[in-house]
Amino acid sequence: MTRILAVVPARGGSKGLPGKNVRPLMGLPLIAHSLALARSCPEVTRAVVSTDSEEIAAVARAHGGDVPFMRPAALAQADTPMWPVLQHALTEVERLEGKPYDLLLLLDPTSPTRLPEDVAAAV
């Protein structure tokens, strides 16, 4: 079975729209839409939230999110590329579980209209 790790990256220091990841959209915090998508995709073995914000972590957990680590400040800057954030999440989860993943899936909270079939097609 292919092991797929989905990462929901949610930095706390948004400059364009402060607090965007926890702001409501259609009755739910923005991040909750990506968490619900991950739960509805049978391809996803595990989904984790990568954040530097205790507020985002608390909101994610309240909506069923898995936040097994906090993202280091060095990976939470406005100009931080996404790839190192994903690498960090993968490394941390594999370290915690003691086994590797085969695929890595990015579920950006700022794309809340994705459907499970979009994930299936990507996989």
Side-chain angles (χ1 to χ4, degrees):
M1 183 174 149
T2 302
R3 290 174 42 85
I4 299 175
L5 177 66
V7 179
V8 180
R11 189 172 69 86
S14 174
K15 291 182 179 180
L17 184 58
K20 70 181 172 195
N21 291 305
V22 296
R23 285 184 180 228
L25 174 70
M26 297 173 13
L28 292 173
L30 185 62
I31 195 168
H33 294 275
S34 290
L35 297 172
L37 173 66
R39 282 191 301 275
S40 69
C41 295
E43 300 86 0
V44 173
T45 307
R46 183 176 183 184
V48 297
V49 174
S50 171
T51 187
D52 62 315
S53 164
E54 291 293 344
E55 177 187 16
I56 292 171
V59 169
R61 288 182 183 114
H63 290 274
D66 182 4
V67 189
F69 57 85
M70 294 299 287
R71 187 189 317 174
L75 293 176
Q77 304 304 307
D79 60 349
T80 301
M82 186 57 64
W83 180 235
V85 172
L86 295 174
Q87 286 177 305
H88 172 262
L90 177 63
T91 299
E92 285 297 305
V93 171
E94 287 181 340
R95 181 185 62 78
L96 290 168
E97 291 186 4
K99 51 188 168 182
Y101 279 82
D102 302 302
L103 298 173
L104 184 61
L105 178 67
L106 167 64
L107 294 180
D108 199 308
T110 59
S111 299
T113 60
R114 292 161 305 201
L115 300 171
E117 52 265 30
D118 297 326
V119 172
V123 170

